[in-house]
Amino acid sequence: MGKRFIEFIEYLIDSLISVIYAYDYKCEICGEYLENGDICKKCRDKIHFCKDPFVINKNGLCIKGYNVSYYSGNITKLILNFKYKSNFRCGDILGNFMIELIEIEKIKFDLITFVPMTKSSINKRGYNQSEILAKIIGKKFGIKVINCIKKIKETKDQIGLSSEERWTNVAKSFKIRNNKNIPGKKILLVDDVFTTGATTYCCAITLLENGGNDVIVLTVAKSNI
Ligand SMILES: [Zn+2]
């Protein structure tokens, strides 16, 4: 009787563990139960990963960077859940994609920073998604993440502006916050979505003007909008 009781308890514990296990390992996209990880192979295989680095060539200056993937399908779902539904597990998945790319491309850097948001946007959302991604990368590689750029005005309203005016408009939105760690450093600049490149370019320029030796941009997804 005693032995049976112990077996029953063991069975209950196993069942409980399997429930917790299954709950912990569910694909964030389709909800399928997994043996491990956050995203199933089927959903991962549907992601259109970018293969080559890009270069923003402007005013005689070249800024090199990488996008993990294109802004579509499953990547869009992960980004939207992370940005607007505070789903930090999706943030972890995206951060891990960035880490994979850094390892595959053997990207080297001494310091990490991120594209900032205005104070009012942070207050509204509660967090800056690019800062969280930067911290995931920093933790993995043991590299310091610094909050050195300040966004002083929103750049949403770009309607009616020419391409050149949009770049100028963005350029006026960023300022250095603190430059003490920047001189001589190779800096990884992290952002979530890459569109015209104006935002990342302007942040990169701010870093270079404040003594940065080199800047490499890394974003989750490239959007064509
Ligand atoms: Zn899935």
Side-chain angles (χ1 to χ4, degrees), residues 27-32 34 39-44:
C27 173
E28 271 302 327
I29 302 285
C30 68
E32 190 184 298
L34 304 170
I39 182 166
C40 76
K41 194 182 174 298
K42 239 196 275 174
C43 290
R44 191 195 157 97

Side-chain angles (χ1 to χ4, degrees), residues 190-207:
V190 175
D191 200 7
D192 55 347
V193 180
F194 183 95
T195 44
T196 59
T199 301
T200 40
Y201 179 84
C202 292
C203 289
I205 294 293
T206 305
L207 296 170

Side-chain angles (χ1 to χ4, degrees), residues 12-175:
L12 277 183
I13 291 169
D14 278 348
S15 305
L16 193 64
I17 287 171
S18 69
V19 167
I20 295 166
Y21 186 84
Y23 177 77
D24 271 342
Y25 296 103
K26 226 165 102 179
C27 173
E28 271 302 327
I29 302 285
C30 68
E32 190 184 298
Y33 290 114
L34 304 170
E35 279 180 27
N36 54 54
D38 299 309
I39 182 166
C40 76
K41 194 182 174 298
K42 239 196 275 174
C43 290
R44 191 195 157 97
D45 286 349
K46 280 184 194 158
I47 295 171
H48 192 180
F49 289 100
C50 294
K51 288 199 174 74
D52 301 311
F54 63 83
V55 171
I56 311 168
N57 207 332
K58 194 136 178 96
N59 302 329
L61 205 73
C62 284
I63 305 290
K64 190 182 170 185
Y66 297 83
N67 303 123
V68 170
S69 77
Y70 294 95
Y71 190 75
S72 64
N74 289 342
I75 277 286
T76 306
K77 280 183 200 163
L78 291 168
I79 291 175
L80 295 179
N81 285 341
F82 177 38
K83 271 174 92 163
Y84 303 109
K85 293 183 181 169
S86 303
N87 184 332
F88 296 105
R89 203 169 169 231
C90 291
D92 281 337
I93 297 172
L94 297 170
N96 286 329
F97 285 156
M98 291 175 124
I99 288 168
E100 279 177 31
L101 191 138
I102 289 168
E103 288 175 334
I104 291 167
E105 298 292 334
K106 299 184 173 61
I107 305 169
K108 299 275 178 262
F109 44 92
D110 319 302
L111 203 61
I112 305 171
T113 193
F114 50 88
V115 170
M117 283 164 53
T118 58
K119 218 173 169 187
S120 68
S121 297
I122 293 182
N123 288 343
K124 217 162 130 191
R125 183 169 302 157
Y127 54 94
N128 175 349
Q129 66 283 350
S130 299
E131 179 176 8
I132 293 177
L133 293 170
K135 283 180 175 165
I136 293 170
I137 297 166
K139 194 176 168 199
K140 165 74 185 179
F141 296 106
I143 291 178
K144 194 171 174 182
V145 178
I146 57 164
N147 182 4
C148 62
I149 311 167
K150 200 173 178 179
K151 188 168 185 187
I152 48 177
K153 66 173 183 126
E154 289 297 348
T155 41
K156 265 184 195 166
D157 199 10
Q158 304 253 60
I159 303 159
L161 299 180
S162 70
S163 166
E164 207 50 47
E165 284 167 339
R166 285 180 188 211
W167 281 73
T168 318
N169 191 26
V170 173
K172 287 178 188 160
S173 308
F174 299 100
K175 238 173 118 177

